[in-house]
Every structure is written in structure tokens, then in C-alpha cells.
Amino acid sequence: MKAYHLTIGLFLLAGIAAGCDNISEDDRYIKVEKPVIDNPRNLMIMEFTGNSCLNCPTGAAVVEQIKEDENPGRVISVGLHPYGSHFTEPVQTIHTPSHMQDLRSQAATALFEYYQPSGFPAAVFNGLKSSMSGSTADWVQRASEALNAMSYVSLSASCGYDEETRSLTVDYDVDFLDDISRKLCVTVWLVENKIMGTQTMPNGRPNFNYEHNHVLRASLNGNWGQELGSFFAEGSTIHGNASMTLDEQWVADNCDVVVYVYRDDNKEVEQAVSLSVLN
């Protein structure tokens, strides 16, 4: 009797196994397609420029053209005037009390040492060293290509400014739209616009009434910002803030804040936002 039951059991197992072999791969698992991320990545253009560079006004004009023509509102530009270049040495001007114009910053110098442009002007598109170009004729095309990218990071920021103490606080939220396993950092910059001063023009002559815009003045949280972490779960949010006291010579009405999240391994910008200090 026991042998009989054993024989029946073996036939049943064989039948189950045979039945499993006939189930197609598509029927074994339920496929759940993840939605496509629809979160366009803003473009940040970092432009190495200088008040003694005769081709830099041309570069600045191209950047402004990109900002107006290529998806208005999605292009953020930052002018980098580093120490260590003869293009950025202080020059005579009639627009400052000291009659000397110095647009250099330590934050710009850190970028200059990392990217090492062979000449000025030079532009970097969303942080990648491989995107850097010293040919202004290429910039529009590079910008168009960069603006096609999507981002798994959503970024928002707000400013609080005390006019009496000139203290600025920036709060930001980083939202993750998918699981991300790589080291990310966040940087908060202060840039100033409408700085009237001297600029060497393409004809070699100085223009004493030139308007310098989006000049990087300082970083609120270190030259390379601060680390956010190395793994981020979909749906999670990181809150942060940074603060500083504005220099007396900087005009708060003309200042903007730029917040950007980037990859630590190759400096690629994942997302960036810009807002006025006075909102």
C-alpha cells in the first residue's frame, strides 16, 4: 500500500513539473513598467570670463542669446572671474569708490583649477569637463543638446534676507523622483548682476560703461558645497540651508542665488535653480 501511494505521488510531481515547464516567461511574472521621468533638467552654463579679455564680451552675448532663445527660464548662467589669470586682474574703472574693479572670487578659482581652460572665454555646460568649449560658435549647439536631458532630482529654494544686517539665508529642498545610488553634493552660490565697470572690447579698447552680469561673488557652503549622501530612495526629500553676510559693496537688489545638485565623481549638474535674493 505504501509503494502504491509513493507511485501516485511521483506521478503527481511529474505532472506539476511538466505543467510548470509549459508556462511561458511572460506569464510567470507581472511586468510593471515604471513611469518615464518627465522632469526637464535646467541648464547651468559656467562661463570663464575676464575684464581684460577682448573676446569675452562676445561670449557673454552668446550666453544671453542662449538664455533668450533656448527654452527661456531653463538656462542659468554664472560668470567665473578666477584668481590666477591675467584676464581677471583688477582694472581701472570710474564706477567704484576705489576706482579699481576686482570681480575675482575664491569659488571661481576652485573651478578654474579643476577645469583648467586653455583660454578665455570658455563655457562649461552642466558641469561636465568634456562639455567645456572655448569656441563660442559651438555654444548654442551644446546648449540645445544639454537641454534635452531629464533629471531624477527636483529642486526648490527660497531666500530670507535682512536688509539691516545684510544677512542672507537660503533654504532648499531636494526631492528624488527615483532611486539613486551615487554620491551627490549641493552648492549654493551668490551671483551679482548690473555691475557697471570696465571691459576690454573686441576692438582692443576699454569700455568704461560695461555692464557685468551673473558674476559669481561667493559660495555660501564652501567652494564645492556639501555632500548630500550616496543613496537616495524614490520619494525621499532632503532639506538644507546655507547662510552668509553680503559684502558692503554688493548690491542686494541685483543679486541672485544659484542652487545646484551635482555628481561628485564627474561634477555633472543633476539640477539647478536660480532666484532673486529679494524674491
Side-chain angles (χ1 to χ4, degrees):
M1 182 66 68
K2 292 180 180 179
Y4 173 78
H5 286 303
L6 178 61
T7 302
I8 296 297
L10 291 174
F11 276 113
L12 288 173
L13 289 174
I16 293 172
C20 290
D21 288 341
N22 293 330
I23 298 176
S24 68
E25 190 70 21
D26 291 338
D27 293 333
R28 291 187 187 185
Y29 306 102
I30 299 175
K31 293 183 179 180
V32 178
E33 296 290 341
K34 296 193 70 172
V36 176
I37 299 296
D38 184 16
N39 181 47
R41 181 185 303 182
N42 291 334
L43 168 61
M44 188 168 76
I45 303 176
M46 296 184 288
E47 178 192 2
F48 289 100
T49 186
N51 38 228
S52 295
C53 165
L54 59 84
N55 289 320
C56 286
T58 301
V62 173
V63 170
E64 290 305 314
Q65 175 191 341
I66 292 171
K67 293 176 72 172
E68 292 177 6
D69 298 344
E70 299 290 330
N71 292 287
R74 286 187 54 209
V75 181
I76 300 165
S77 58
V78 180
L80 308 178
H81 297 253
Y83 290 93
S85 170
H86 66 277
F87 292 122
T88 61
E89 292 293 327
V91 296
Q92 191 76 23
T93 181
I94 61 176
H95 294 282
T96 61
S98 64
H99 301 291
M100 290 298 289
Q101 169 184 287
D102 191 352
L103 303 177
R104 299 173 298 179
S105 67
Q106 292 294 340
T109 304
L111 295 162
F112 178 65
E113 292 172 349
Y114 173 77
Y115 289 103
Q116 298 183 352
S118 58
F120 283 27
V124 180
F125 299 85
N126 272 344
L128 286 172
K129 185 179 285 189
S130 60
S131 75
M132 185 170 60
S133 170
S135 173
T136 57
D138 296 337
W139 291 5
V140 173
Q141 180 61 35
R142 289 175 185 258
S144 296
E145 294 171 355
L147 283 164
N148 289 327
M150 295 293 165
S151 177
Y152 297 102
V153 172
S154 179
L155 184 60
S156 60
S158 62
C159 291
Y161 179 67
D162 187 317
E163 294 185 358
E164 190 171 323
T165 63
R166 296 183 64 80
S167 61
L168 168 68
T169 299
V170 180
D171 295 293
Y172 57 83
D173 289 338
V174 185
D175 299 304
F176 298 93
L177 309 181
D178 200 355
D179 292 341
I180 300 178
S181 298
R182 53 179 171 268
K183 187 175 177 181
L184 298 179
C185 303
V186 61
T187 302
V188 183
W189 281 343
L190 180 77
V191 302
E192 186 177 3
N193 301 294
K194 300 180 180 179
I195 304 173
M196 301 305 298
T198 301
Q199 174 67 51
T200 302
M201 302 304 290
N203 61 9
R205 297 179 179 178
N207 178 353
F208 294 104
N209 293 282
Y210 186 86
E211 183 175 292
H212 297 270
N213 287 306
H214 50 79
V215 175
L216 176 58
R217 286 301 198 181
S219 175
L220 279 68
N221 61 347
N223 290 337
W224 290 104
Q226 61 192 78
E227 182 181 340
L228 290 174
S230 298
F231 175 78
F232 312 92
E234 178 183 354
S236 63
T237 299
I238 291 180
H239 308 278
N241 62 75
S243 60
M244 72 172 299
T245 301
L246 269 63
D247 187 284
E248 289 294 334
Q249 295 186 9
W250 303 343
V251 181
D253 285 345
N254 298 336
C255 289
D256 293 333
V257 166
V258 174
V259 184
Y260 71 98
V261 174
Y262 72 93
R263 294 177 53 163
D264 181 68
D265 57 350
N266 62 2
K267 311 305 184 208
E268 181 179 11
V269 175
E270 294 280 356
Q271 191 59 282
V273 295
S274 175
L275 65 158
S276 170
V277 163
L278 300 183
N279 293 322

